[in-house]
């Protein structure tokens, strides 16, 4: 009994107990966050959601959404809702209910509700003026399908990685980017958003300008003219001859000359209009033509070889030479 | 207290102290962790990439076109306090800077360079590359013999009396009237070799890299005047310099083609200003966009390699051969300006109803001074008096106006409605005048064209769209849409007597779209849509022909029926496994006859494309994931051409004896792409990230050329022709096949990232890429010029068959250089196998 009394009431035992509590408290201090770390009121979230979570949250501080000095900065609940049942799990419920609004791929939150969480602030941005009724909006694309909010580097906002995000849905364009001819997306020197406005636009195909040609001229202004001798398909629509994402023909052409040109041009004297001189795999003309009185020679080399039609009619986008009606000068 | 008790007391005190210390330390550590986790990371990366081969195609955009070591680097520095932040970034090609106070203002500045490597095999004898005047070396034959075929001989009655054994003019290279003929005229003997390149001329060909560089400077400023008002400005200035290849027709009456090194010196300056307003339910934006383009090189003058001082001659058939000019000159892209104002305004009416309106007005001008119409040749340097150039510049002006109105509404949660209207007009107000100049004076041509007016193309598009999207049950929705597009085309300033400049002045297209979406099941969702479009051209005129013998069959103005199907299915049986498949099918059919006789279709007849995409992602664990994809595209277009002259009599005559006077080509592009990516992160206790990828692309373009021929001839003795009296009619034998064009690539990519210390990461990468391609564009014609005019050279997918090399290239020493041909340039189809190893160190802080 004496020994027992010594044990329970001895100063060493008391100190040991204090030490144990202190250690436990110290540990608890490491586990339970009672102070906001990034956003106003985030303590109730970060006490559970730390960087070991499946969806790390603290990196939001590295983004514009984490700048508290900006009075417009949202809180966790601005986007996810107050989520009372998620914060305080109701008794008798096996699994903790999800927050009011979630943004993962398999979220149960309706896309329009997810997007409204973003648009409540961002709808005022001029780039979002055309969102309503845009191709992405009407196809149930959620902001979070493309954007990552809880990370310092949002892939879709970086030129080098943006295409990778777009290819998640636009898989044919991913294949196109590996064809013989393509824009320099794979090298990270160009982004999809250089041509497309993913949040809506006044142009077709979500293009950044009012028309296809206006968009192309932002980088290819030398094709804009107006020229003295215009080539109407070129001024009408670049995509009459070109594809935009990738082609097995050079210069992003739809098909190869001379046939591409012959889609519209039926006459070019003997030899060109009929495909003569087009060589086959054995090197003989695919269509052997003999025309009384004609000169032979240019067709084999000029039509199938080298720059083909553009070997002579090089100003296919228009010529400004007074003797350039044939688009040769 | 005993010593023993004292010991326990001291130990316990130490324990408390340690515990308290531990508590403090943990709290501090937690705070430090939080600080690290919430502070933007700064990083500096330096490294080297070593490649084992030269290849312009491998380095097309990544600057790794040369074998050897390439220094790479990246930097990202973030700083600031409160709302005021800055960010500096940089790599081997440029840098960016951003500074601002979030919510108040932001300034951005950046510079970037992008190289494009176009060819590393191009050769040219021209001197002065990079300037606006290209000259040939002194060794160049300055008075090359003009070689033309006489058409007077009639020694052979085969082929309707067309073929004969006439060889080239004395002093010229070989001419083969009909290479396929089995009769005696197959191989006309050479009668001289003055047309061939001399040894000195061949030696003058030098490798000339074809490459361009875009250097872009960006400056942006934005300022929030108040919570409602914001103003922003962005300037982008770009200089494009370098050398590209360009073809030029020059020489004799049949037009030779020379591939020149074209100097590029472009300057493009773009400015955008915006004023935004947003308050309550309304918003508006007023903006200006300006773009000014200038080519610092206004023209390119080049010496004519086929120059001849021979006097004009007239053959017995009446063909006139003019002396060739001693030089040619063409006009480069004219400087131009575009200024556009636009206004966007919108209003939220509540109840999820929103109206957005846009209006823009643009003015595009071009007043570059014309070059002289004549060539710079001594013979035709002075513009003949019969040539008329009515102005000193175009006085070009195009007004573009765009209006649009869009109303969206969600009256009930399950129903989305959309109605929109858009009008887009291009009104070309450029001067229109009579230019009585030749089509191509560099051929020695001096006769003026038969249609001297320049055409100021204009058009007006009006587009209306209504759409309803209804979620009729949980997870299921259907969408219906109807769209109309009316196009009006014309040319301003034409004389009243002139015919229409377009095949169809009006066209109307109506499209109906239906879509069904299903996301009923948690693991499966999909959608399918169908679009049908019918375009009708009110009055299609097929023989719009302003220039001699040019029959136009513009497909973009004619009737068209389009059917489009798109489908997608996604299946995610577990949270770690995801499959998706998409399918796209588009068919275009051009249904209006575009033959002068009005009953046959010429030009583009139909188009069909399909695309399959399969994708699978498997997350083996939180740290390891695997992705595989496969894409299969098949595109085909059917084109029909008129093999005969355009006279109805000839066409009917050919139709009477055989399958008609027409030929066709089925152009296909078949591309298969597949890839596999494995990514493992946080291995070795979070220190190692690994990724491995394989990508393969197979692109082939088989073009099947067929001719409706009454001579089913492929080999052996030529059949006897039926007795026909045809004037200027073609007789052909069908030989199937156009050389396949292909571009195949395989790439293996391995990367490893190892966290060496808390602040230091080592990156190691390996890339193996193999690329093979073939393209008849690069066959002998470019390597050797045409060996002769009509006879087929020995073609192979790897270039010329000749083994003699000049300057280490494939340019054969026995290249000939006849009249009517292509000037050799030695350009090669890209083929390479390149390995690249990269090592980099990243310091983060």
């Amino acid at each position: 009994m004496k020994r027992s009394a010594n044990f329970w009431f001895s100063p060493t035992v008391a100190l040991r107990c204090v030490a144990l509590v202190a250690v436990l408290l110290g540990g608890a201090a490491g586990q339970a966050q009672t102070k906001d770390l990034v956003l106003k009121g985030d303590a109730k979230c970060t006490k559970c959601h730390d960087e070991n979570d499946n969806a790390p949250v603290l990196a939001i501080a590295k983004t514009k959404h984490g700048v508290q000095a900006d009075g417009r900065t949202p809180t966790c609940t601005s986007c996810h809702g107050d989520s009372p049942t998620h914060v305080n799990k109701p008794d008798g419920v096996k699994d903790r209910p999800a927050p009011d609004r979630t943004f993962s791929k398999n979220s149960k939150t309706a896309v329009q509700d997810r997007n409204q969480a973003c648009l409540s602030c961002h709808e005022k941005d001029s780039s979002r003026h055309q969102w309503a009724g845009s191709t992405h909006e009407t196809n149930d694309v959620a902001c979070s399908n493309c954007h990552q909010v809880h990370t310092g580097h949002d892939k879709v906002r970086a030129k080098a990685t943006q295409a990778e995000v777009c290819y998640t849905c636009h898989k044919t364009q991913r294949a196109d980017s590996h064809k013989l001819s393509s824009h320099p997306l794979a090298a990270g020197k160009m982004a999809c958003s250089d041509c497309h406005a993913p949040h809506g636009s006044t142009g077709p195909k979500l293009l950044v300008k009012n028309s296809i040609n206006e968009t192309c001229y932002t980088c290819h202004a030398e094709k804009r003219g107006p020229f003295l001798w215009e080539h109407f398909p070129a001024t009408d629509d670049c995509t009459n001859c070109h594809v935009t994402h990738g082609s097995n023909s050079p210069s992003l052409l739809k098909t190869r000359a001379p046939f591409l040109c012959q889609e519209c041009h039926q006459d070019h004297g003997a030899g060109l209009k009929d495909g003569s001189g087009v060589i086959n795999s054995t090197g003989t003309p695919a269509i052997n033509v003999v025309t009384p009185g004609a000169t032979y020679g240019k067709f084999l080399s000029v039509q199938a070889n080298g720059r083909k039609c553009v070997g002579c009619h090089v100003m296919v986008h228009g010529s400004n030479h007074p003797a350039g009606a044939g688009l040769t000068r | 207290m005993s010593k023993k008790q004292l010991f326990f007391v001291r130990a316990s005190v130490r324990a408390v102290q340690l515990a308290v210390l531990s508590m403090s330390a943990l709290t501090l550590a937690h705070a430090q962790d939080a600080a690290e986790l919430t502070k933007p990371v700064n990083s500096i990366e330096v490294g080297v990439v070593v490649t084992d081969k030269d290849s312009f195609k491998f380095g097309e955009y990544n600057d790794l076109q040369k074998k050897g070591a390439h220094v790479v680097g990246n930097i990202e520095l973030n700083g600031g306090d409160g709302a005021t932040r800055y960010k500096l970034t940089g790599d081997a090609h440029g840098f960016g800077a951003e500074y601002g106070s979030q919510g108040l203002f932001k300034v951005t500045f950046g510079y970037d360079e992008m190289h494009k490597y176009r060819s590393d095999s191009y050769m040219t004898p021209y001197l002065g590359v990079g300037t606006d005047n290209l000259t040939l070396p002194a060794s160049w034959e300055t008075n090359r013999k003009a070689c033309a075929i006489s058409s007077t001989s009639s020694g052979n009655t085969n082929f309707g009396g067309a073929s004969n054994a006439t060889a080239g003019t004395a002093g010229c290279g070989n001419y083969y009237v009909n290479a396929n003929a089995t009769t005696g005229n197959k191989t006309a003997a050479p009668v001289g070799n003055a047309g061939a390149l001399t040894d000195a001329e061949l030696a003058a060909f030098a490798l000339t890299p074809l490459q361009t560089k875009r250097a872009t400077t960006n400056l942006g400023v934005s300022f929030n005047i108040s919570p409602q008002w914001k103003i922003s400005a962005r300037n982008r200035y770009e200089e494009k310099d370098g050398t590209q290849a360009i073809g030029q027709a020059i020489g004799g009456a049949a037009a030779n083609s020379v591939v020149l090194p074209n100097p590029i010196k472009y300057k493009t300056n773009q400015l955008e200003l915006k004023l935004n307003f947003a308050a309550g339910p309304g918003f508006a934006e007023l903006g200006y966009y300006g773009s000014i383009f200038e080519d610092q090189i206004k023209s390119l003058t080049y010496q004519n390699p086929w120059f001849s001082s021979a006097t004009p001659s007239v053959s017995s058939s009446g063909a006139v051969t003019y002396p060739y000019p001693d030089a040619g000159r063409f006009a480069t892209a004219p400087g131009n300006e575009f200024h556009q104002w636009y206004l966007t305004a919108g209003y939220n009416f509540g109840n999820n109803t929103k109206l957005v309106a846009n209006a823009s007005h643009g003015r595009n001008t071009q007043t570059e001074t014309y070059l002289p119409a004549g060539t710079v040749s001594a013979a035709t340097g002075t513009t003949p008096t019969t040539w008329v150039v009515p102005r000193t510049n175009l006085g070009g002006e195009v007004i573009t106006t765009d209006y649009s109105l869009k109303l969206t509404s969600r009256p009930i949660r399950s129903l989305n409605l959309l109605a929109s209207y858009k009008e887009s007009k291009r009104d070309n107000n450029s001067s229109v005048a009579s230019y009585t100049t030749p089509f191509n004076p560099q051929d020695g041509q001096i006769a003026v064209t038969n249609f001297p007016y320049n055409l100021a193309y204009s058009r007006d598009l009006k587009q209306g769209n209504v759409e309803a999207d209804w979620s009729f049950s949980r997870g299921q929705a259907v969408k219906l849409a109807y769209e109309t597009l009316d196009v009006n085309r014309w040319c301003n300033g034409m004389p009243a007597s002139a015919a229409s400049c377009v095949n169809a002045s009006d066209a109307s297209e109506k499209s109906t779209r239906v879509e069904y979406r299903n996301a009923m099941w948690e693991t499966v969702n999909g959608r399918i849509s169908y679009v049908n479009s019918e375009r009708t051209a009110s009055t299609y005129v097929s023989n719009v022909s302003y220039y001699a013998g040019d029959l136009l069959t513009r497909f973009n103005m004619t009737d068209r029926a389009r059917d489009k199907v798109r489908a997608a299915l996604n299946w995610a049986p577990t949270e770690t496994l995801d499959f998706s498949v998409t399918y796209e099918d588009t068919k275009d059919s051009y249904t209006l006859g575009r033959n002068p006789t009005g009953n046959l279709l010429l030009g583009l007849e139909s188009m069909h494309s399909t695309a399959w995409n399969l994708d699978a992602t498997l997350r083996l664990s939180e740290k390891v994931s695997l992705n595989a994809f496969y894409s299969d595209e098949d595109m085909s277009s059917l084109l029909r051409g008129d093999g005969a002259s355009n006279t109805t009599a000839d066409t009917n005559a050919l139709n009477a004896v055989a399958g008609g006077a027409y030929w066709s080509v089925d152009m296909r592009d078949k591309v298969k792409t597949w890839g596999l990516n494995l990514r493992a992160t946080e291995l070795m206790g979070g220190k190692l990230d690994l990724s491995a990828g394989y990508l393969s692309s197979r692109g082939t373009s088989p073009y099947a050329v067929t001719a409706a021929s009454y001579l089913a001839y492929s080999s052996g003795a030529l059949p006897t022709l039926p007795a026909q009296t045809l004037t200027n009619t073609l007789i052909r034998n069908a030989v199937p096949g156009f050389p396949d064009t292909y571009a195949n690539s395989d790439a293996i990519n391995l990367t490893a990232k190892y966290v060496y210390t808390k602040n230091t990461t080592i990156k190691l990468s390996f890339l193996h890429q193999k690329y093979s391609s073939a393209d008849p564009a690069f066959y002998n014609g470019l390597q050797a010029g045409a060996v002769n005019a009509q006879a087929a050279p020995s073609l192979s997918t790897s270039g010329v068959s000749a083994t003699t090399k000049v300057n280490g290239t494939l340019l054969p020493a026995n290249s000939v250089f006849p009249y009517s041909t292509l000037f050799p340039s030695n350009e090669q189809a890209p083929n390479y196998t390149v390995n690249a190893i990269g090592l980099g160190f990243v310091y983060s802080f």
Side-chain angles (χ1 to χ4, degrees):
Chain A
M1 187 67 191
K2 185 182 177 185
R3 179 180 175 82
S4 176
N6 274 346
F7 176 79
W8 290 110
F9 296 103
S10 73
T12 55
V13 170
L15 284 168
R16 281 177 196 163
C17 290
V18 171
L20 179 63
V21 170
V23 168
L24 289 173
L25 283 174
Q31 293 296 318
Q33 179 58 44
T34 56
K35 195 173 131 185
D36 292 344
L37 292 176
V38 180
L39 304 173
K40 190 182 285 183
D42 72 11
K44 65 181 174 184
C45 305
T46 54
K47 72 182 179 183
C48 296
H49 297 287
D50 59 13
E51 294 310 280
N52 297 318
D53 198 40
N54 283 339
V57 296
L58 294 183
I60 199 168
K62 300 175 183 177
T63 73
K64 294 188 186 304
H65 284 139
V67 179
Q68 286 205 65
D70 181 356
R72 305 168 304 171
T73 296
T75 65
C76 303
T77 54
S78 303
C79 302
H80 292 282
D82 289 337
S83 313
T85 59
H86 177 72
V87 176
N88 301 305
K89 185 181 141 190
D91 293 337
V93 175
K94 185 184 172 189
D95 296 321
R96 182 181 292 273
D100 294 348
R101 278 191 295 268
T102 59
F103 299 87
S104 64
K105 184 184 173 189
N106 299 319
S107 168
K108 299 269 192 304
T109 307
V111 168
Q112 57 197 28
D113 293 336
R114 274 184 262 172
N115 289 350
Q116 194 51 44
C118 307
L119 291 171
S120 61
C121 294
H122 290 287
E123 197 171 22
K124 293 175 185 172
D125 297 350
S126 61
S127 59
R128 246 75 68 184
H129 286 172
Q130 303 289 343
W131 172 254
S134 70
T135 306
H136 280 154
E137 194 263 351
T138 58
N139 280 284
D140 289 338
V141 175
C143 307
S144 55
N145 287 149
C146 305
H147 291 284
Q148 291 179 302
V149 175
H150 295 157
T151 178
H153 288 101
D154 185 7
K155 275 185 179 179
V156 81
R157 287 172 57 82
K159 189 179 276 189
T161 51
Q162 184 186 82
E164 193 184 318
V165 178
C166 302
Y167 294 156
T168 309
C169 295
H170 300 280
K171 299 174 195 300
T172 303
Q173 283 70 32
R174 173 178 58 190
D176 287 345
S177 71
H178 298 292
K179 290 179 179 172
L180 170 76
S181 171
S182 68
H183 278 118
L185 279 90
K189 299 303 290 183
M190 188 177 169
C192 305
S193 59
D194 286 344
C195 300
H196 295 283
H199 304 117
S201 79
T202 56
K205 306 281 184 190
L206 293 179
L207 290 173
V208 294
K209 295 291 181 186
N210 286 324
S211 68
I212 291 169
N213 285 30
E214 260 186 45
T215 304
C216 299
Y217 296 152
T218 58
C219 289
H220 304 284
E222 75 277 11
K223 314 270 193 302
R224 185 166 49 204
F227 298 95
L228 166 60
W229 306 105
E230 292 197 320
H231 191 205
F232 194 27
T235 58
D236 187 53
D237 186 339
C238 301
T239 60
N240 280 329
C241 300
H242 294 280
V243 294
T244 50
H245 298 111
S247 172
N248 217 28
S249 299
S251 302
L252 283 167
L253 290 170
K254 281 195 319 184
T255 55
R256 287 166 182 264
F259 306 117
L260 173 66
C261 308
Q262 288 171 319
E263 290 181 357
C264 291
H265 293 278
Q266 287 300 311
D267 260 335
H268 192 296
L272 282 180
K273 69 180 178 182
D274 59 11
S276 68
V278 172
I279 45 178
N280 70 5
S281 54
T282 61
T284 53
I287 302 170
N288 186 24
V289 176
V290 178
T291 304
T295 51
Y296 309 101
K298 68 180 175 182
F299 309 127
L300 173 65
S301 52
V302 175
Q303 186 175 348
N305 250 181
R307 313 187 86 74
K308 304 165 189 167
C309 305
V310 186
C312 298
H313 302 279
V314 65
M315 303 300 174
V316 285
H317 301 102
S319 168
N320 209 51
H321 195 289
L327 304 183
T328 52
R329 306 176 74 192
Chain B
M1 254 185 224
S2 67
K3 284 186 178 177
K4 190 177 177 184
Q5 281 176 319
L6 270 175
F7 169 78
F8 279 116
V9 167
R10 284 174 189 151
S12 298
V13 168
R14 292 283 182 271
V16 171
Q17 288 172 338
L18 280 172
V20 171
L21 199 60
S22 154
M23 185 166 64
S24 308
L26 282 168
T27 307
L28 187 61
H30 187 77
Q32 283 175 338
D33 284 348
E36 283 178 10
L37 292 167
T38 55
K39 182 185 150 201
V41 177
N42 299 316
S43 65
I44 297 172
E45 177 181 358
V46 290
V48 64
V49 175
V50 180
T51 53
D52 67 343
K53 295 267 175 52
D54 289 348
S55 170
F56 81 94
K57 186 65 179 172
F58 176 76
E60 186 175 17
Y61 291 115
N62 62 19
D63 267 354
L64 301 176
Q65 83 286 0
K66 286 288 180 193
K67 173 186 174 182
H70 308 263
V71 175
V72 294
N74 284 293
I75 186 168
E76 180 179 334
L77 300 174
N78 298 277
D81 196 18
T84 304
R85 305 287 175 102
Y86 68 82
K87 183 175 185 176
L88 302 171
T89 57
D91 60 24
H93 307 294
F95 64 89
E98 183 180 316
Y99 176 77
S101 177
Q102 190 169 309
L104 184 60
F105 76 93
K106 185 166 81 172
V107 180
T108 58
F109 179 72
Y111 174 81
D112 184 59
E113 287 184 358
M114 183 176 81
H115 292 87
K116 179 169 183 177
Y117 298 93
R118 298 164 185 271
S119 173
D120 54 8
S121 58
Y122 173 79
M123 297 182 79
T124 183
Y126 278 101
L127 306 172
V129 175
T131 71
D132 62 359
N133 189 21
L134 300 174
T135 57
L136 290 162
S139 60
W140 203 263
E141 194 174 334
T142 54
N143 190 14
R144 190 169 295 277
K145 184 74 176 177
C147 299
I149 294 176
S150 163
S151 61
T152 57
S153 179
S154 57
N156 195 309
T157 55
N158 281 339
F159 295 99
S163 183
N164 56 64
T166 301
T169 305
C172 296
N174 298 347
Y175 285 95
Y176 296 84
V177 175
N178 176 18
N180 276 354
T182 56
T183 52
N185 57 2
K186 183 178 180 182
T187 53
V191 289
N193 61 2
L197 293 170
T198 64
D199 289 344
E201 287 173 333
L202 282 167
F205 279 77
L207 275 174
T208 305
L210 297 180
Q211 60 193 58
T212 50
K213 180 182 82 173
R214 286 177 186 260
T216 309
T217 307
N218 279 293
L219 175 65
V221 181
S222 66
F223 180 63
N224 289 356
I225 303 167
S226 72
Q228 291 79 34
W229 291 91
K230 180 181 177 182
I231 190 167
S232 62
R234 187 176 71 90
N235 174 243
R236 177 179 164 180
Y237 174 73
E238 182 176 277
E239 291 189 0
K240 182 178 175 182
D241 296 290
T243 307
Q244 291 180 207
I246 192 168
Q248 271 292 288
I250 190 166
N256 295 346
S257 176
V258 59
V259 184
L260 300 169
N262 183 30
I264 303 294
K265 279 193 187 299
Y266 296 164
K267 285 182 177 178
T268 308
N269 206 349
Q270 298 178 78
L271 175 67
E272 186 151 28
L273 303 171
K274 291 181 185 177
L275 176 66
N276 288 285
F277 170 77
F283 58 85
E285 179 178 81
L286 176 66
Y288 162 80
Y289 169 73
S291 170
I292 299 172
F293 168 79
E294 183 195 355
D295 191 344
Q296 293 179 286
I297 293 180
K298 306 300 180 188
S299 67
L300 182 65
T301 303
Y302 56 97
Q303 211 174 320
N304 179 9
W306 288 279
F307 171 63
S308 167
S309 61
T311 53
S313 63
V314 180
S315 73
S316 57
S317 66
V320 181
T321 302
Y322 296 97
Y324 311 148
D326 55 8
R329 180 167 57 199
F330 65 86
T332 57
N336 65 76
E337 298 189 8
F338 181 62
H339 303 276
Q340 184 182 54
W341 289 93
Y342 57 88
L343 176 67
T344 301
Y347 192 82
N348 275 312
F349 293 96
N351 298 322
N352 298 304
T353 300
K354 186 176 179 180
L355 180 70
V356 182
N358 304 277
S360 72
H361 179 274
R363 184 168 179 263
N364 174 200
T365 56
Q366 189 269 105
T367 56
E368 190 83 60
T369 304
Y370 289 147
L371 293 175
T375 66
V376 291
S377 133
T380 55
T382 306
T383 303
T385 53
T386 53
W387 297 9
V388 178
V389 180
R391 299 174 58 90
T392 55
N393 69 68
L394 175 64
E397 182 193 68
V398 172
I399 303 295
T400 54
T401 47
D402 292 84
Y403 308 98
S404 68
L405 203 61
K406 183 168 68 175
L407 179 67
T408 53
S409 180
R410 185 151 51 96
I412 55 175
R413 191 172 170 81
S414 58
L415 182 64
N416 281 291
L417 300 172
L418 165 71
S420 67
Y421 175 78
K422 182 179 178 184
E423 179 167 1
S424 186
K425 188 174 179 183
R426 179 187 198 267
D427 203 5
N428 190 338
N429 298 322
S430 302
S431 67
V432 174
S434 174
Y435 291 75
T436 48
T437 51
F439 210 66
N440 186 15
Q442 290 173 182
D443 291 348
Q445 185 185 35
I446 60 168
V448 298
T449 52
N450 65 339
F451 184 80
Y453 288 96
N454 63 307
L455 302 176
Y457 288 115
S458 304
R459 72 167 193 188
D460 191 9
L461 271 71
K462 293 172 184 166
Q463 193 171 8
N465 182 37
V466 288
E467 196 172 298
D469 191 309
W470 179 39
S471 298
F472 60 91
S473 75
R474 183 179 170 80
Q476 292 192 89
V478 65
K479 182 188 290 182
L480 293 171
Y482 181 73
E483 183 180 302
T484 63
L485 175 65
D486 293 312
V487 187
N488 181 227
R489 294 182 170 96
W490 71 96
C491 292
N492 286 326
M494 296 296 290
S497 58
S500 172
C501 64
V502 291
N503 300 76
S505 56
D506 296 288
S508 178
E509 183 164 14
K510 302 189 186 328
S511 303
T512 309
R513 181 156 57 102
V514 58
E515 180 179 308
Y516 170 71
R517 301 192 303 277
N518 190 327
M520 283 192 303
W521 303 287
E522 197 167 317
T523 58
V524 181
N525 66 72
R527 63 175 62 205
I528 183 166
S529 66
Y530 170 71
V531 184
N532 173 264
S533 304
E534 297 286 343
R535 185 172 71 197
T536 308
S538 58
T539 49
Y540 191 91
V541 180
S542 56
N543 57 349
V544 173
S545 179
Y546 292 99
Y547 308 116
D550 196 5
L551 172 67
L552 290 172
T553 56
R554 291 172 175 136
F555 66 90
N556 60 322
M557 296 182 189
T558 186
D559 287 4
R560 182 186 69 186
R562 168 171 287 181
D563 293 288
K564 197 169 187 175
V565 175
R566 299 179 80 176
L569 186 69
N570 185 266
W571 179 44
T574 69
E575 285 194 355
T576 59
L577 190 57
D578 190 293
F579 293 104
S580 71
V581 54
T582 66
Y583 175 70
E584 297 166 29
D585 189 310
T586 304
K587 278 183 188 167
D588 287 350
S589 176
Y590 297 89
T591 51
L592 186 67
R594 282 172 279 156
N595 182 277
T597 60
N599 58 1
L600 287 164
L601 185 67
L602 288 178
L604 187 62
E605 186 172 303
S606 62
M607 190 281 293
H608 185 202
S609 70
T610 60
W612 283 97
N613 293 290
L614 306 172
D615 206 293
T617 301
L618 172 64
R619 279 205 304 159
L620 295 165
S621 71
E622 281 185 11
K623 297 175 180 174
V624 182
S625 64
L626 185 66
N627 170 261
F629 71 88
Y630 174 75
S631 294
D632 189 323
E633 290 178 83
D634 191 342
M635 294 150 280
S636 66
S637 305
L638 184 63
L639 171 69
R640 195 175 296 280
D642 177 7
S645 66
N646 294 317
T647 63
T648 305
D650 280 357
T651 303
N652 291 342
L654 274 178
N655 283 339
V657 295
Y662 304 96
W663 63 278
S664 66
V665 55
D666 183 7
M667 300 173 283
R668 296 188 78 176
D669 282 307
K670 297 194 282 188
V671 183
K672 300 178 196 306
T673 311
W674 62 92
L676 188 66
N677 292 291
L678 175 67
R679 184 171 293 177
T681 57
E682 298 180 23
L683 305 176
M684 296 177 63
K687 284 181 172 293
L688 182 66
D689 291 350
L690 293 174
S691 71
Y694 171 71
L695 181 79
S696 178
S697 176
R698 294 282 179 276
T700 58
S701 299
Y703 283 17
V705 183
T706 56
S709 171
Y710 61 90
L711 272 180
Y713 169 79
S714 58
S715 63
L718 288 165
T720 304
L721 294 178
Q724 293 292 326
T725 305
L726 304 176
T727 57
N728 195 28
T729 297
L730 308 174
I731 301 167
R732 77 217 56 205
N733 55 334
V735 181
F738 182 79
D740 274 7
T741 302
Y742 64 85
N744 300 333
S745 67
D746 294 276
I748 297 170
N749 196 347
L750 306 171
T751 62
K753 201 162 67 173
Y754 180 74
V755 180
Y756 183 63
T757 69
K758 186 180 174 185
N759 298 106
T760 311
T761 302
I762 300 171
K763 290 164 83 172
L764 188 64
S765 62
F766 170 73
L767 173 65
H768 167 85
Q769 195 165 71
K770 182 179 180 184
Y771 192 96
S772 57
S773 68
D775 185 343
F778 296 103
Y779 282 2
N780 289 25
L782 280 185
Q783 268 85 52
V787 174
N788 55 54
Q790 179 74 2
S794 300
L795 298 176
S796 70
T797 55
S798 60
V800 296
S801 56
T803 54
T804 307
K805 296 182 179 180
V806 176
N807 293 348
T809 77
L810 285 172
L811 195 66
N814 60 349
S815 298
V816 294
F817 191 40
Y819 158 87
S820 260
T821 189
L822 185 64
F823 195 81
S825 69
N826 194 50
E827 289 168 276
Q828 312 277 334
N831 285 279
Y832 66 81
T833 301
V834 174
N835 296 296
I837 295 176
L839 178 65
F841 296 90
V842 184
Y843 178 69
S844 307
F845 54 101

